[in-house]
Amino acid sequence: MSRREAVAVDIAGRWVGGGHPILVQSMTNTSTEDALATAAQIKQLWQAGSEIVRITVNTREAARCVPEIVSILEAQSIDCPIVGDFHYNGHILLKEYPDCARLLAKYRINPGNVGRGQKHDENFKQMIEVALKYDKPVRIGVNWGSLDQDLLARLMDENASSAEPKEAHAVLIDAIVTSAAESGKLAESYGLPANRIILSAKVSEVPDLIAVYRKLAACCTYALHLGLTEAGPGTGGIVVSTAALAVLLHEGIGDTIRVSLTPEPGGDRALEVRVCQQILQSLGLRSFTPRVTACPGCGRTTSTLFQEMARDIQQYLNDQRPIWQETYPGFEELKVAVMGCIVNGPGESKHADIGISLPGSGEDPRAPVYMDGKHFTTLSGPALVKDFIEILNEYVERRYGRVMTAAGSHGG
């Protein structure tokens, strides 16, 4: 199933699936009972580019705080859809706190912990009924760490009695897919239309995630949310998330994504948002901020000038993003090259929209600047970085400023 074949879902004006742009999601790690802290982190994630933010709603006090959180955000003109994450007691909280149910943009339900046996279907149905009452979409999110044990036992028994039984791990993968797909159909049987349903089926291992989503995409047309259930901290978490999501997204599977990084204590929660953006941008699926191409350095580049300049230019572009988003539509597709020597410098700079080739060790201390594939000027001296930024600003104004008066033309 490609993204264009998935049924589109409207989440408070953000469309998921049906060929719409793949949305970036994240989740707060504050106590929802602390409304001020939770609202502040939602704002941080939203400003970083998270288009949907999920919060934990696990207690009565958390449910009571949802209206206050929404009110704080509305007062700051932050139009971010907030998703309630429910486990175990969601059917109770959504019924007892109608303002919470009404103000959340979407409910996340885990079919593995809404109850067992008859209670499973009763509790699940109650949550779907609330979604219908308030016209809310639902994400049915299966996790292999909290899989429906009755379903798993059923599939294990069926497998044991089959003529060619599968390995237990293969049955587990099937159970994850079956749980998600059957839960979607169950929600539909209770009246929730397919265009109000998103599925996710998260595991922690890259090959398993790819296998699960390929199977899920092949058996249904619900919109799909992608992500490892726990990616882990630091570089490792970034790498495994990128490895898994890149394969699936490249195959056209997935409509919204999250990278579930474990932050350092007191660390930047918004890092997971930026990683999502970089994954989508690197695959050519969306553009969020201009990309700076820079070489890694070698024995020809013993000076740190190009490293410092690449860092400073990227930071400058990041800082300008909030301003340029309003005045220069399309600027996020800009490609800038900051290269360190003559070997690849001129060539890479010509391939970028605008680029500079700094001199390597022993080279003439002059830096040619290329614009739209052609030599524009040559810089030198202590003001080199400042001069390049001025040229960059003029280029952005000339190329993207035209959009405001030329009906969307980017000019040359």
Side-chain angles (χ1 to χ4, degrees):
M1 177 186 70
S2 72
R3 290 185 302 278
R4 296 194 181 278
E5 293 169 342
V7 176
V9 179
D10 179 12
I11 305 175
R14 275 67 166 180
W15 286 93
V16 174
H20 292 280
I22 299 164
L23 296 189
V24 173
Q25 293 193 35
S26 56
M27 184 175 183
T28 59
N29 61 357
T30 55
S31 169
T32 308
E33 296 169 358
D34 186 338
L36 287 174
T38 300
Q41 192 171 86
I42 292 172
K43 178 180 178 180
Q44 175 199 10
L45 294 168
W46 177 75
Q47 289 179 328
S50 184
E51 291 151 310
I52 301 170
V53 176
R54 184 159 45 113
I55 65 174
T56 298
V57 185
N58 58 331
T59 65
R60 286 179 166 85
E61 184 58 32
R64 274 194 292 267
C65 283
V66 168
E68 183 180 354
I69 292 167
V70 171
S71 178
I72 293 170
L73 295 172
E74 286 180 346
Q76 300 178 65
S77 300
I78 296 173
D79 181 25
C80 180
I82 301 173
V83 178
D85 192 57
F86 294 97
H87 297 272
Y88 307 110
N89 59 357
H91 59 291
I92 297 171
L93 298 178
L94 285 171
K95 285 205 164 187
E96 286 189 2
Y97 298 92
D99 285 345
C100 169
R102 178 177 57 84
L103 291 169
L104 290 171
K106 183 178 72 173
Y107 312 147
R108 186 278 174 110
I109 305 173
N110 184 340
N113 57 31
V114 295
R116 299 191 65 171
Q118 185 178 349
K119 285 291 186 182
H120 174 283
D121 291 358
E122 289 177 0
N123 295 344
F124 185 80
K125 183 178 182 181
Q126 288 182 46
M127 298 183 76
I128 298 302
E129 287 173 344
V130 175
L132 285 167
K133 179 178 180 180
Y134 295 104
D135 191 25
K136 302 296 181 180
V138 168
R139 170 154 77 92
I140 299 172
V142 177
N143 280 353
W144 71 348
S146 53
L147 188 60
D148 183 337
Q149 293 303 301
D150 292 335
L151 171 64
L152 180 59
R154 186 190 91 200
L155 294 185
M156 286 292 187
D157 289 343
E158 291 175 359
N159 181 66
S161 61
S162 67
E164 297 181 3
K166 301 177 183 179
E167 293 184 358
H169 188 74
V171 180
L172 175 63
I173 296 297
D174 288 344
I176 294 167
V177 175
T178 301
S179 178
E182 287 189 355
S183 296
K185 292 301 181 185
L186 184 61
E188 284 196 77
S189 75
Y190 296 146
L192 193 67
N195 66 359
R196 308 303 276 160
I197 299 171
I198 297 173
L199 299 186
S200 66
K202 294 189 174 184
V203 297
S204 296
E205 302 296 332
V206 172
D208 290 333
L209 192 83
I210 293 171
V212 163
Y213 274 96
R214 281 174 174 167
K215 287 177 176 286
L216 196 56
C219 74
C220 71
T221 56
Y222 298 116
L224 300 179
H225 169 72
L226 303 185
L228 291 164
T229 186
E230 299 102 5
T235 303
I238 294 172
V239 170
V240 296
S241 293
T242 303
L245 269 57
V247 171
L248 293 167
L249 292 169
H250 186 65
E251 293 179 2
I253 298 171
D255 305 289
T256 174
I257 65 172
R258 182 193 174 198
V259 170
S260 300
L261 295 179
T262 305
E264 294 289 330
D268 183 5
R269 186 67 165 180
L271 174 61
E272 64 178 48
V273 176
R274 294 190 291 274
V275 173
C276 284
Q277 292 174 333
Q278 289 299 314
I279 291 172
L280 293 174
Q281 186 154 334
S282 67
L283 292 169
L285 297 172
R286 290 188 67 181
S287 295
F288 295 93
T289 191
R291 180 184 174 191
V292 175
T293 299
C295 62
C298 66
R300 290 177 174 269
T301 56
T302 53
S303 167
T304 61
L305 175 60
F306 86 94
Q307 298 167 337
E308 295 164 356
M309 186 172 184
R311 177 200 64 202
D312 293 345
I313 295 297
Q314 184 67 74
Q315 186 60 54
Y316 177 74
L317 292 169
N318 291 343
D319 292 342
Q320 293 299 111
R321 178 182 171 185
I323 303 168
W324 286 0
Q325 277 181 325
E326 300 297 326
T327 54
Y328 302 125
F331 93 98
E332 63 275 3
E333 298 177 0
L334 178 70
K335 295 179 180 178
V336 181
V338 179
M339 302 301 293
C341 78
I342 199 171
V343 175
N344 292 320
E348 289 283 358
S349 297
K350 290 176 184 177
H351 286 304
D353 295 313
I354 181 171
I356 185 168
S357 179
L358 298 171
S361 302
E363 294 176 13
D364 186 11
R366 295 163 61 79
V369 175
Y370 298 86
M371 193 179 293
D372 296 325
K374 298 178 181 179
H375 180 260
F376 175 73
T377 189
T378 299
L379 301 177
S380 62
L384 186 148
V385 175
K386 179 174 177 288
D387 292 342
F388 181 72
I389 288 179
E390 289 182 1
I391 294 171
L392 174 61
N393 287 337
E394 292 169 1
Y395 180 84
V396 170
E397 167 64 31
R398 186 173 69 256
R399 178 171 180 177
Y400 299 103
R402 294 182 183 183
V403 176
M404 305 300 290
T405 57
S409 171
H410 281 190

PDB file of all heavy atoms in Angstrom, residues 304-326:
ATOM      1  N   THR A 304      40.531  24.633  10.106  1.00  0.00           N
ATOM      2  CA  THR A 304      39.155  24.372  10.566  1.00  0.00           C
ATOM      3  C   THR A 304      38.179  25.398  10.006  1.00  0.00           C
ATOM      4  O   THR A 304      37.008  25.386  10.374  1.00  0.00           O
ATOM      5  CB  THR A 304      39.088  24.401  12.102  1.00  0.00           C
ATOM      6  OG1 THR A 304      39.488  25.705  12.573  1.00  0.00           O
ATOM      7  CG2 THR A 304      39.986  23.331  12.710  1.00  0.00           C
ATOM      8  N   LEU A 305      38.630  26.258   9.108  1.00  0.00           N
ATOM      9  CA  LEU A 305      37.776  27.337   8.601  1.00  0.00           C
ATOM     10  C   LEU A 305      36.506  26.806   7.960  1.00  0.00           C
ATOM     11  O   LEU A 305      35.404  27.269   8.249  1.00  0.00           O
ATOM     12  CB  LEU A 305      38.550  28.193   7.593  1.00  0.00           C
ATOM     13  CG  LEU A 305      37.713  29.294   6.908  1.00  0.00           C
ATOM     14  CD1 LEU A 305      37.153  30.264   7.937  1.00  0.00           C
ATOM     15  CD2 LEU A 305      38.563  30.030   5.868  1.00  0.00           C
ATOM     16  N   PHE A 306      36.626  25.783   7.083  1.00  0.00           N
ATOM     17  CA  PHE A 306      35.431  25.315   6.386  1.00  0.00           C
ATOM     18  C   PHE A 306      34.469  24.621   7.352  1.00  0.00           C
ATOM     19  O   PHE A 306      33.253  24.683   7.187  1.00  0.00           O
ATOM     20  CB  PHE A 306      35.812  24.400   5.212  1.00  0.00           C
ATOM     21  CG  PHE A 306      35.993  22.951   5.572  1.00  0.00           C
ATOM     22  CD1 PHE A 306      34.948  22.049   5.448  1.00  0.00           C
ATOM     23  CD2 PHE A 306      37.212  22.497   6.053  1.00  0.00           C
ATOM     24  CE1 PHE A 306      35.125  20.708   5.782  1.00  0.00           C
ATOM     25  CE2 PHE A 306      37.389  21.170   6.381  1.00  0.00           C
ATOM     26  CZ  PHE A 306      36.341  20.267   6.254  1.00  0.00           C
ATOM     27  N   GLN A 307      35.033  23.968   8.388  1.00  0.00           N
ATOM     28  CA  GLN A 307      34.171  23.325   9.381  1.00  0.00           C
ATOM     29  C   GLN A 307      33.382  24.372  10.156  1.00  0.00           C
ATOM     30  O   GLN A 307      32.170  24.226  10.390  1.00  0.00           O
ATOM     31  CB  GLN A 307      35.022  22.490  10.343  1.00  0.00           C
ATOM     32  CG  GLN A 307      35.788  21.357   9.659  1.00  0.00           C
ATOM     33  CD  GLN A 307      36.857  20.773  10.577  1.00  0.00           C
ATOM     34  OE1 GLN A 307      37.317  21.440  11.518  1.00  0.00           O
ATOM     35  NE2 GLN A 307      37.244  19.542  10.309  1.00  0.00           N
ATOM     36  N   GLU A 308      34.078  25.402  10.579  1.00  0.00           N
ATOM     37  CA  GLU A 308      33.424  26.471  11.326  1.00  0.00           C
ATOM     38  C   GLU A 308      32.401  27.197  10.462  1.00  0.00           C
ATOM     39  O   GLU A 308      31.304  27.539  10.916  1.00  0.00           O
ATOM     40  CB  GLU A 308      34.477  27.447  11.846  1.00  0.00           C
ATOM     41  CG  GLU A 308      35.427  26.823  12.877  1.00  0.00           C
ATOM     42  CD  GLU A 308      36.679  27.657  13.086  1.00  0.00           C
ATOM     43  OE1 GLU A 308      36.838  28.676  12.372  1.00  0.00           O
ATOM     44  OE2 GLU A 308      37.501  27.274  13.936  1.00  0.00           O
ATOM     45  N   MET A 309      32.765  27.404   9.191  1.00  0.00           N
ATOM     46  CA  MET A 309      31.855  28.115   8.298  1.00  0.00           C
ATOM     47  C   MET A 309      30.606  27.288   8.008  1.00  0.00           C
ATOM     48  O   MET A 309      29.482  27.807   8.011  1.00  0.00           O
ATOM     49  CB  MET A 309      32.565  28.463   6.993  1.00  0.00           C
ATOM     50  CG  MET A 309      31.723  29.331   6.071  1.00  0.00           C
ATOM     51  SD  MET A 309      32.664  29.920   4.652  1.00  0.00           S
ATOM     52  CE  MET A 309      31.434  30.977   3.865  1.00  0.00           C
ATOM     53  N   ALA A 310      30.776  25.980   7.778  1.00  0.00           N
ATOM     54  CA  ALA A 310      29.624  25.104   7.543  1.00  0.00           C
ATOM     55  C   ALA A 310      28.691  25.132   8.743  1.00  0.00           C
ATOM     56  O   ALA A 310      27.458  25.222   8.605  1.00  0.00           O
ATOM     57  CB  ALA A 310      30.090  23.680   7.256  1.00  0.00           C
ATOM     58  N   ARG A 311      29.266  25.057   9.941  1.00  0.00           N
ATOM     59  CA  ARG A 311      28.473  25.105  11.170  1.00  0.00           C
ATOM     60  C   ARG A 311      27.734  26.434  11.283  1.00  0.00           C
ATOM     61  O   ARG A 311      26.535  26.472  11.573  1.00  0.00           O
ATOM     62  CB  ARG A 311      29.386  24.908  12.372  1.00  0.00           C
ATOM     63  CG  ARG A 311      28.696  25.014  13.727  1.00  0.00           C
ATOM     64  CD  ARG A 311      29.716  25.286  14.815  1.00  0.00           C
ATOM     65  NE  ARG A 311      30.373  26.587  14.621  1.00  0.00           N
ATOM     66  CZ  ARG A 311      31.561  26.904  15.136  1.00  0.00           C
ATOM     67  NH1 ARG A 311      32.235  26.036  15.872  1.00  0.00           N
ATOM     68  NH2 ARG A 311      32.082  28.098  14.913  1.00  0.00           N
ATOM     69  N   ASP A 312      28.456  27.527  11.029  1.00  0.00           N
ATOM     70  CA  ASP A 312      27.859  28.853  11.196  1.00  0.00           C
ATOM     71  C   ASP A 312      26.770  29.120  10.159  1.00  0.00           C
ATOM     72  O   ASP A 312      25.743  29.738  10.478  1.00  0.00           O
ATOM     73  CB  ASP A 312      28.945  29.931  11.100  1.00  0.00           C
ATOM     74  CG  ASP A 312      29.932  29.870  12.267  1.00  0.00           C
ATOM     75  OD1 ASP A 312      29.616  29.205  13.272  1.00  0.00           O
ATOM     76  OD2 ASP A 312      31.023  30.470  12.150  1.00  0.00           O
ATOM     77  N   ILE A 313      26.983  28.667   8.930  1.00  0.00           N
ATOM     78  CA  ILE A 313      25.975  28.865   7.890  1.00  0.00           C
ATOM     79  C   ILE A 313      24.719  28.071   8.210  1.00  0.00           C
ATOM     80  O   ILE A 313      23.586  28.561   8.072  1.00  0.00           O
ATOM     81  CB  ILE A 313      26.521  28.476   6.509  1.00  0.00           C
ATOM     82  CG1 ILE A 313      27.665  29.414   6.098  1.00  0.00           C
ATOM     83  CG2 ILE A 313      25.414  28.494   5.461  1.00  0.00           C
ATOM     84  CD1 ILE A 313      27.271  30.855   5.935  1.00  0.00           C
ATOM     85  N   GLN A 314      24.875  26.810   8.653  1.00  0.00           N
ATOM     86  CA  GLN A 314      23.713  26.007   9.006  1.00  0.00           C
ATOM     87  C   GLN A 314      22.949  26.637  10.164  1.00  0.00           C
ATOM     88  O   GLN A 314      21.713  26.691  10.146  1.00  0.00           O
ATOM     89  CB  GLN A 314      24.138  24.591   9.375  1.00  0.00           C
ATOM     90  CG  GLN A 314      22.966  23.644   9.668  1.00  0.00           C
ATOM     91  CD  GLN A 314      22.123  23.359   8.434  1.00  0.00           C
ATOM     92  OE1 GLN A 314      22.548  22.614   7.555  1.00  0.00           O
ATOM     93  NE2 GLN A 314      20.924  23.936   8.364  1.00  0.00           N
ATOM     94  N   GLN A 315      23.678  27.135  11.160  1.00  0.00           N
ATOM     95  CA  GLN A 315      23.029  27.784  12.293  1.00  0.00           C
ATOM     96  C   GLN A 315      22.314  29.054  11.854  1.00  0.00           C
ATOM     97  O   GLN A 315      21.198  29.348  12.307  1.00  0.00           O
ATOM     98  CB  GLN A 315      24.050  28.108  13.377  1.00  0.00           C
ATOM     99  CG  GLN A 315      23.433  28.656  14.670  1.00  0.00           C
ATOM    100  CD  GLN A 315      22.462  27.674  15.298  1.00  0.00           C
ATOM    101  OE1 GLN A 315      22.808  26.516  15.544  1.00  0.00           O
ATOM    102  NE2 GLN A 315      21.226  28.125  15.545  1.00  0.00           N
ATOM    103  N   TYR A 316      22.936  29.785  10.960  1.00  0.00           N
ATOM    104  CA  TYR A 316      22.319  31.007  10.449  1.00  0.00           C
ATOM    105  C   TYR A 316      21.007  30.691   9.735  1.00  0.00           C
ATOM    106  O   TYR A 316      19.982  31.352   9.950  1.00  0.00           O
ATOM    107  CB  TYR A 316      23.277  31.726   9.499  1.00  0.00           C
ATOM    108  CG  TYR A 316      22.689  32.964   8.860  1.00  0.00           C
ATOM    109  CD1 TYR A 316      22.520  34.137   9.587  1.00  0.00           C
ATOM    110  CD2 TYR A 316      22.278  32.942   7.520  1.00  0.00           C
ATOM    111  CE1 TYR A 316      21.966  35.264   9.007  1.00  0.00           C
ATOM    112  CE2 TYR A 316      21.727  34.068   6.934  1.00  0.00           C
ATOM    113  CZ  TYR A 316      21.568  35.220   7.675  1.00  0.00           C
ATOM    114  OH  TYR A 316      21.006  36.341   7.110  1.00  0.00           O
ATOM    115  N   LEU A 317      21.021  29.659   8.907  1.00  0.00           N
ATOM    116  CA  LEU A 317      19.811  29.266   8.184  1.00  0.00           C
ATOM    117  C   LEU A 317      18.722  28.801   9.145  1.00  0.00           C
ATOM    118  O   LEU A 317      17.540  29.096   8.951  1.00  0.00           O
ATOM    119  CB  LEU A 317      20.143  28.177   7.167  1.00  0.00           C
ATOM    120  CG  LEU A 317      21.018  28.615   5.990  1.00  0.00           C
ATOM    121  CD1 LEU A 317      21.489  27.400   5.197  1.00  0.00           C
ATOM    122  CD2 LEU A 317      20.270  29.589   5.092  1.00  0.00           C
ATOM    123  N   ASN A 318      19.129  28.057  10.171  1.00  0.00           N
ATOM    124  CA  ASN A 318      18.160  27.609  11.176  1.00  0.00           C
ATOM    125  C   ASN A 318      17.536  28.800  11.898  1.00  0.00           C
ATOM    126  O   ASN A 318      16.328  28.823  12.173  1.00  0.00           O
ATOM    127  CB  ASN A 318      18.826  26.679  12.185  1.00  0.00           C
ATOM    128  CG  ASN A 318      19.230  25.347  11.587  1.00  0.00           C
ATOM    129  OD1 ASN A 318      18.766  24.966  10.512  1.00  0.00           O
ATOM    130  ND2 ASN A 318      20.103  24.629  12.275  1.00  0.00           N
ATOM    131  N   ASP A 319      18.375  29.775  12.228  1.00  0.00           N
ATOM    132  CA  ASP A 319      17.884  30.962  12.935  1.00  0.00           C
ATOM    133  C   ASP A 319      16.937  31.789  12.062  1.00  0.00           C
ATOM    134  O   ASP A 319      15.989  32.412  12.568  1.00  0.00           O
ATOM    135  CB  ASP A 319      19.055  31.834  13.393  1.00  0.00           C
ATOM    136  CG  ASP A 319      19.893  31.173  14.485  1.00  0.00           C
ATOM    137  OD1 ASP A 319      19.398  30.215  15.116  1.00  0.00           O
ATOM    138  OD2 ASP A 319      21.047  31.606  14.686  1.00  0.00           O
ATOM    139  N   GLN A 320      17.216  31.815  10.757  1.00  0.00           N
ATOM    140  CA  GLN A 320      16.392  32.608   9.846  1.00  0.00           C
ATOM    141  C   GLN A 320      15.079  31.924   9.500  1.00  0.00           C
ATOM    142  O   GLN A 320      14.161  32.565   8.994  1.00  0.00           O
ATOM    143  CB  GLN A 320      17.171  32.875   8.541  1.00  0.00           C
ATOM    144  CG  GLN A 320      18.379  33.781   8.718  1.00  0.00           C
ATOM    145  CD  GLN A 320      17.963  35.154   9.235  1.00  0.00           C
ATOM    146  OE1 GLN A 320      18.244  35.512  10.366  1.00  0.00           O
ATOM    147  NE2 GLN A 320      17.264  35.909   8.413  1.00  0.00           N
ATOM    148  N   ARG A 321      14.983  30.642   9.768  1.00  0.00           N
ATOM    149  CA  ARG A 321      13.817  29.871   9.330  1.00  0.00           C
ATOM    150  C   ARG A 321      12.479  30.482   9.753  1.00  0.00           C
ATOM    151  O   ARG A 321      11.577  30.626   8.913  1.00  0.00           O
ATOM    152  CB  ARG A 321      13.924  28.431   9.839  1.00  0.00           C
ATOM    153  CG  ARG A 321      12.732  27.578   9.480  1.00  0.00           C
ATOM    154  CD  ARG A 321      12.869  26.175  10.042  1.00  0.00           C
ATOM    155  NE  ARG A 321      11.623  25.430   9.859  1.00  0.00           N
ATOM    156  CZ  ARG A 321      11.395  24.222  10.330  1.00  0.00           C
ATOM    157  NH1 ARG A 321      12.320  23.603  11.016  1.00  0.00           N
ATOM    158  NH2 ARG A 321      10.253  23.621  10.119  1.00  0.00           N
ATOM    159  N   PRO A 322      12.299  30.855  11.035  1.00  0.00           N
ATOM    160  CA  PRO A 322      10.989  31.413  11.414  1.00  0.00           C
ATOM    161  C   PRO A 322      10.628  32.678  10.635  1.00  0.00           C
ATOM    162  O   PRO A 322       9.458  32.920  10.353  1.00  0.00           O
ATOM    163  CB  PRO A 322      11.156  31.703  12.914  1.00  0.00           C
ATOM    164  CG  PRO A 322      12.288  30.840  13.352  1.00  0.00           C
ATOM    165  CD  PRO A 322      13.214  30.769  12.184  1.00  0.00           C
ATOM    166  N   ILE A 323      11.635  33.465  10.280  1.00  0.00           N
ATOM    167  CA  ILE A 323      11.402  34.716   9.552  1.00  0.00           C
ATOM    168  C   ILE A 323      11.174  34.422   8.077  1.00  0.00           C
ATOM    169  O   ILE A 323      10.217  34.908   7.459  1.00  0.00           O
ATOM    170  CB  ILE A 323      12.609  35.664   9.720  1.00  0.00           C
ATOM    171  CG1 ILE A 323      12.881  35.928  11.211  1.00  0.00           C
ATOM    172  CG2 ILE A 323      12.388  36.965   8.964  1.00  0.00           C
ATOM    173  CD1 ILE A 323      14.198  36.615  11.483  1.00  0.00           C
ATOM    174  N   TRP A 324      12.042  33.621   7.492  1.00  0.00           N
ATOM    175  CA  TRP A 324      11.986  33.366   6.060  1.00  0.00           C
ATOM    176  C   TRP A 324      10.785  32.511   5.662  1.00  0.00           C
ATOM    177  O   TRP A 324      10.341  32.556   4.519  1.00  0.00           O
ATOM    178  CB  TRP A 324      13.294  32.722   5.603  1.00  0.00           C
ATOM    179  CG  TRP A 324      14.438  33.685   5.542  1.00  0.00           C
ATOM    180  CD1 TRP A 324      14.395  35.012   5.853  1.00  0.00           C
ATOM    181  CD2 TRP A 324      15.779  33.415   5.159  1.00  0.00           C
ATOM    182  NE1 TRP A 324      15.638  35.583   5.685  1.00  0.00           N
ATOM    183  CE2 TRP A 324      16.508  34.624   5.260  1.00  0.00           C
ATOM    184  CE3 TRP A 324      16.453  32.272   4.755  1.00  0.00           C
ATOM    185  CZ2 TRP A 324      17.858  34.715   4.949  1.00  0.00           C
ATOM    186  CZ3 TRP A 324      17.798  32.362   4.436  1.00  0.00           C
ATOM    187  CH2 TRP A 324      18.494  33.570   4.532  1.00  0.00           C
ATOM    188  N   GLN A 325      10.254  31.730   6.603  1.00  0.00           N
ATOM    189  CA  GLN A 325       9.058  30.949   6.287  1.00  0.00           C
ATOM    190  C   GLN A 325       7.912  31.856   5.859  1.00  0.00           C
ATOM    191  O   GLN A 325       7.097  31.481   5.011  1.00  0.00           O
ATOM    192  CB  GLN A 325       8.621  30.128   7.514  1.00  0.00           C
ATOM    193  CG  GLN A 325       9.366  28.817   7.678  1.00  0.00           C
ATOM    194  CD  GLN A 325       8.888  28.041   8.878  1.00  0.00           C
ATOM    195  OE1 GLN A 325       8.527  28.614   9.893  1.00  0.00           O
ATOM    196  NE2 GLN A 325       8.894  26.727   8.779  1.00  0.00           N
ATOM    197  N   GLU A 326       7.848  33.034   6.459  1.00  0.00           N
ATOM    198  CA  GLU A 326       6.771  33.967   6.157  1.00  0.00           C
ATOM    199  C   GLU A 326       7.069  34.804   4.917  1.00  0.00           C
ATOM    200  O   GLU A 326       6.183  35.076   4.111  1.00  0.00           O
ATOM    201  CB  GLU A 326       6.538  34.901   7.360  1.00  0.00           C
ATOM    202  CG  GLU A 326       6.160  34.173   8.644  1.00  0.00           C
ATOM    203  CD  GLU A 326       4.843  33.436   8.522  1.00  0.00           C
ATOM    204  OE1 GLU A 326       3.943  33.930   7.810  1.00  0.00           O
ATOM    205  OE2 GLU A 326       4.713  32.353   9.133  1.00  0.00           O
TER     206      GLU A 326
END
